[in-house]
Amino acid sequence: MKKLSGAALQQQLSLVPNWRFDEESLSIERRFAFKDFSEAFAFMTRVAIAAEQRNHHPEWFNVYNRVDITFTTHDAGGLTERDIAFAQWVDGIAGDAGN
């Protein structure tokens, strides 16, 4: 996977408008808030299963109903199309939790 940069990076970032791009770590981040811990944990379980299937694992943090997710491709040294695609998938299963 090739690290995104320049116009290609901007174009790909436009596909995930709810994610924040961190220029220092070359990653995207998003916070999700669920009704309670059970919903947050169920969401994390779905993401974990998909991460194993994709062999692409996010960095994340969970406290009670909140889940913070960071995507980057360490092997590529930054953000790749793989990260964008996974972030889009996560958005699709999160429902209103990301708002």
Side-chain angles (χ1 to χ4, degrees):
M1 258 298 125
K2 183 179 174 192
K3 177 175 77 171
L4 294 167
S5 62
L9 172 63
Q10 295 308 313
Q11 188 276 327
Q12 289 291 305
L13 289 174
S14 73
L15 300 175
V16 288
N18 295 316
W19 292 74
R20 185 181 71 79
F21 178 63
D22 184 314
E23 290 187 42
E24 186 174 321
S25 65
L26 300 175
S27 64
I28 53 174
E29 305 168 346
R30 185 162 181 202
R31 173 168 287 173
F32 297 89
F34 297 88
K35 185 179 88 177
D36 55 27
F37 179 75
S38 293
E39 283 191 10
F41 196 84
F43 168 76
M44 290 177 68
T45 300
R46 289 188 69 191
V47 173
I49 290 167
E52 278 297 299
Q53 291 169 341
R54 295 168 183 251
N55 192 29
H56 190 56
H57 303 87
E59 297 174 19
W60 54 12
F61 180 77
N62 164 246
V63 173
Y64 184 59
N65 70 328
R66 189 181 77 228
V67 178
D68 298 332
I69 299 181
T70 301
F71 283 113
T72 191
T73 301
H74 297 288
D75 293 345
L79 201 63
T80 66
E81 289 181 8
R82 190 175 189 192
D83 300 302
I84 300 297
F86 204 172
Q88 289 178 301
W89 182 87
V90 167
D91 284 347
I93 68 159
D96 293 335
N99 299 330

